Amino acid sequence: MEANGSMASEMGSCFRSTNLSTNLSENGRKLIVSRWFSTAFGSIGLASNLFALCVLVSSSRKMHSRARSSFLIFLCGLVVTDFLGLLVTGTIIISYHFTKFNWMVVDPACYLCNFLGLSMVFFGQCPLLLGATMAGERFFGINRPFSRSTSMSKRRAWFMVGMVWAFSFSLGLLPILGLGDYTLQYPNSWCFITLLHDAKNVTFCLIFALLGILAVGLSFLFNTVSVVTLCRVYHDRESVQRRRDSEVEMMVQLVGIMIIATVCWLPLLIFIIQTVLQEPAPGLLPRHIPRQTQEMLLIYLRMVTWNQILDPWVYILFRRAVLKRIYPSLKTRPSIGSLYPMLNTSLRRKLTQESVLQ
C-alpha cells in the first residue's frame, strides 16, 4: 500500500493509491465488470441510436410543421449525443477490458483519463439538460402558444442544442481547471468525478449532482403542466373534434424520456450527494474510497447506460404511425389554433399559415 501511495504521488492526479491495482480474479467472477457486459451494452446502444437517427432524418424530410420540426431537432441532438457518448467512452473502456493496458504506462500524465472523465460528465449532463430544454419548449408551445408569432425556428432550435452542449462541456472542464479531480475508477476501466471529502471534490460533485436533479425536476414540472393542459383541452366538449395528435405524440415521447432519465439517473445523483456529504469512516486512508462505494458507483453507472440505450427507442416506438395502430381514433389536425377554439378566425388563420412555413 505504501509503495502504491508513493507511485500515485509521483504520477498524475488521476491515480489514487487504492486504484493502482485490482484483483483480476475477483473481477472475473463479477458480471458487472465483465468485458462482454460492457461490449453488449455499447453495441446495443450504438445500434439503437443509429437506427433512431435514420428514422429521425427520414421523418424530418417529410415534416412541414415548424413546431414538430424544432422538436425533431431536439430529438436529433439527443440521439447524436447518446450515440457519440457511447462511441467515445465505449472505445476507451472496452479497449481496456480486452487489453488490460497499464494506465500508469499508457497515460502517466492523466491526459486520457481527464478526457474520459470530461466525456462522462459531458455526455451525462447533455441528455438531462436537453430533456429539460425540450420540456420547456413544449410547455411554452402548449400553454403560451401565442406569446411568440410562430413556433421555434430550426436555427433557434439548433442554437439551443449548441448552448446545452457548450454549457455541459464547460462543466466538464472544471476538474481539469482545478475544481475537483477526474480519477481512475473501479475496475480501472473508466475515469469519473472523485467521491472524496476534500472541499474541491465535494463542491464539484454537488454541482454535478444537483444540476442533474434540477434538470430532471424541471422536466417533471414542465411535462406535468403540459399534460394537464392537453387533457383539459381534449376533454372540453368544444374541442373533442379538434385533437392534435402531433401534440400528443410529442408529449408521449417527452414523458417517456423523462421517466427513463428519472429511473436511470436519480439513483446515481442521490448516491453521489449522500457519499460526499456523509462523514468519512474513521481510520480511512487519505484519498481512499471504500471498495463497497466503488462497486456501488459502478452499478449505478450501469443503470445510467440504460438511459442512452432506451432513449432512441422512445422515439422509435412512440411515433405517430405506431400510436395510430394502438389508438386508431387519432386523427391529424395540425392547426395551432385547435387547442384554443375561442380565438378569432383571422388570428387563427394567420398563425396556421405561419406554422407551415419552413
Side-chain angles (χ1 to χ4, degrees), residues 59-80:
S59 299
S60 64
R61 293 175 179 174
K62 307 173 184 177
M63 186 57 56
H64 299 289
S65 168
R66 180 168 290 186
R68 181 61 181 165
S69 179
S70 62
F71 185 79
L72 288 179
I73 289 175
F74 285 118
L75 273 178
C76 183
L78 179 63
V79 171
V80 169

Side-chain angles (χ1 to χ4, degrees), residues 203-254:
T203 300
F204 183 71
C205 287
L206 290 178
I207 292 175
F208 176 83
L210 292 176
L211 182 62
I213 292 175
L214 176 63
V216 172
L218 287 176
S219 297
F220 179 82
L221 176 63
F222 286 142
N223 287 333
T224 300
V225 175
S226 298
V227 169
V228 170
T229 301
L230 287 176
C231 289
R232 286 179 176 177
V233 172
Y234 289 168
H235 285 84
D236 191 308
R237 292 181 180 178
E238 297 180 1
S239 318
V240 170
Q241 302 302 319
R242 300 183 176 90
R243 297 184 177 182
R244 294 183 63 203
D245 54 322
S246 61
E247 292 287 357
V248 175
E249 178 186 18
M250 288 187 282
M251 285 312 306
V252 169
Q253 291 170 351
L254 266 181

Side-chain angles (χ1 to χ4, degrees), residues 67 70 74 132-152 156 160 218 221-223 225-227 229-230 244 247 250-251 254 336 339-340:
S70 62
F74 285 118
T133 303
M134 294 163 65
E137 192 275 336
R138 281 294 79 212
F139 169 82
F140 288 106
I142 292 173
N143 295 275
R144 299 289 186 271
F146 308 117
S147 61
R148 302 167 294 175
S149 60
T150 61
S151 298
M152 185 179 297
R156 185 178 177 185
M160 294 187 69
L218 287 176
L221 176 63
F222 286 142
N223 287 333
V225 175
S226 298
V227 169
T229 301
L230 287 176
R244 294 183 63 203
E247 292 287 357
M250 288 187 282
M251 285 312 306
L254 266 181
I336 192 172
L339 289 175
Y340 297 86

Side-chain angles (χ1 to χ4, degrees), residues 2-153:
E2 292 180 0
N4 283 342
S6 62
M7 292 172 65
S9 63
E10 296 173 0
M11 306 300 288
S13 60
C14 62
F15 299 105
R16 292 178 285 107
S17 60
T18 56
N19 66 6
L20 297 180
S21 61
T22 305
N23 188 329
L24 296 180
S25 62
E26 176 187 349
N27 292 344
R29 293 195 299 267
K30 294 187 177 180
L31 176 62
I32 197 67
V33 298
S34 167
R35 68 180 69 176
W36 305 112
F37 195 93
S38 300
T39 304
F41 266 52
S43 300
I44 294 173
L46 288 172
S48 299
N49 281 281
L50 188 60
F51 180 40
L53 188 60
C54 293
V55 175
L56 274 169
V57 172
S58 176
S59 299
S60 64
R61 293 175 179 174
K62 307 173 184 177
M63 186 57 56
H64 299 289
S65 168
R66 180 168 290 186
R68 181 61 181 165
S69 179
S70 62
F71 185 79
L72 288 179
I73 289 175
F74 285 118
L75 273 178
C76 183
L78 179 63
V79 171
V80 169
T81 301
D82 286 339
F83 178 83
L84 291 178
L86 288 168
L87 182 64
V88 172
T89 59
T91 299
I92 300 174
I93 294 172
I94 295 175
S95 296
Y96 170 82
H97 279 298
F98 279 91
T99 63
K100 299 296 181 182
F101 60 81
N102 190 328
W103 281 88
M104 298 180 67
V105 174
V106 173
D107 187 35
C110 292
Y111 295 131
L112 181 61
C113 187
N114 284 333
F115 171 75
L116 181 55
L118 186 154
S119 299
M120 297 288 290
V121 170
F122 173 79
F123 291 114
Q125 282 291 343
C126 275
L128 299 179
L129 296 177
L130 282 173
T133 303
M134 294 163 65
E137 192 275 336
R138 281 294 79 212
F139 169 82
F140 288 106
I142 292 173
N143 295 275
R144 299 289 186 271
F146 308 117
S147 61
R148 302 167 294 175
S149 60
T150 61
S151 298
M152 185 179 297
S153 65

